[in-house]
Amino acid sequence: MDTKTFKGRSLLTWLDYTGEEIRALLDLSKQVKEEKKRGETHQRFAGKTVALIFEKHSTRTRSAFETAVGEEGGYPVFLSPADIHLGEKETIEDTARVLGRMYSAIQFRGYKQATVEALAKYSGVPVYNGLTDDYHPTQVLADVQTIEENFGPAKGKKLCFVGDGRNNVARSLMVISAKLGIHFTIVTPPSLNPDPVLVGKCEPLAAATGSKICVSADTAEVEGACAIYTDVWASMGEEAKKAERVTLLSPYQVNQTLMDKTGRRDTIFLHCLPAIRNEEVTAEVIDGPQTRVWDEAENRKHTIKAIMLATI
Ligand code: CP
Ligand code: NVA
């Protein structure tokens, strides 16, 4: 598929992309990763500028965007909400209109999905969701790339998310899995089940690609998974819920016993990071032979570069 048709598009959630389009971005990401490994340099963002707005902290996403833009000859500008007027003195719509006059694209990380949607609606340039309370789309593209580096085409493979089943990463994995035909199981206590409205949207998408979305409280459901994925028990903005989550999710810690329940020796461990060792995952697993979290983190940059190359 020719990524010329992507020009000008935003990435707010993978619900807005077809499986074929996501596949094209994965192919492009693989290509840019290979270029990098060969030591090739390009200037494909020469003369381009990207605004990076972060309401929440970030190590990987910020670094991936800044380095991907910079090494292609573009100019990334970090905008902290402590310094700009976004949503306080100035409406989101007005900020979007102004940024759209100055930048080639905008990345937003923050709380509300409505904010990233408004930026996309009013700026007139591509806007990338670098994580909101609802979704983390750029993350899960890197996750699928990592799965494919280990197992080949992800279609028909089983991915299992164990932990806070309603969080932004679990939701985004569900959407991308449904679009790509990945069997996706969320193992979580019933009180943290994913939003049934989103599950209801994903189930027919999954049926169309020949895959299944399952939600279960039973860790035995990880059987057959090629990848076990977890994330922090309390996401950014939910710090007050930490104690309650530790109680709820301790039986869902990813430890070697849980990894072994897949019944496969080649199961890999994934985590978007940052991770808290010996909470959601034991040090034994994240630092052990099944971990692929460092490849996964590196792939953030290649996938983000591919998304920007296609859309700017
Ligand atoms: N995985 C991820 O988004 O990491 P950061 O919060 O460091 O950007
Ligand atoms: N669910 C986590 C992901 C961090 C990359 C959070 O929102 O904090």
Side-chain angles (χ1 to χ4, degrees), residues 295-306:
D295 293 335
E296 184 185 7
E298 179 192 325
N299 287 339
R300 298 295 312 285
K301 172 162 162 165
H302 305 304
T303 44
I304 280 171
K305 188 187 275 186

Side-chain angles (χ1 to χ4, degrees), residues 57-61 109 136 139 272-274 300:
H57 292 163
S58 170
T59 300
R60 280 143 288 271
T61 309
R109 163 171 290 198
H136 196 2
Q139 174 68 49
C272 53
L273 306 177
R300 298 295 312 285

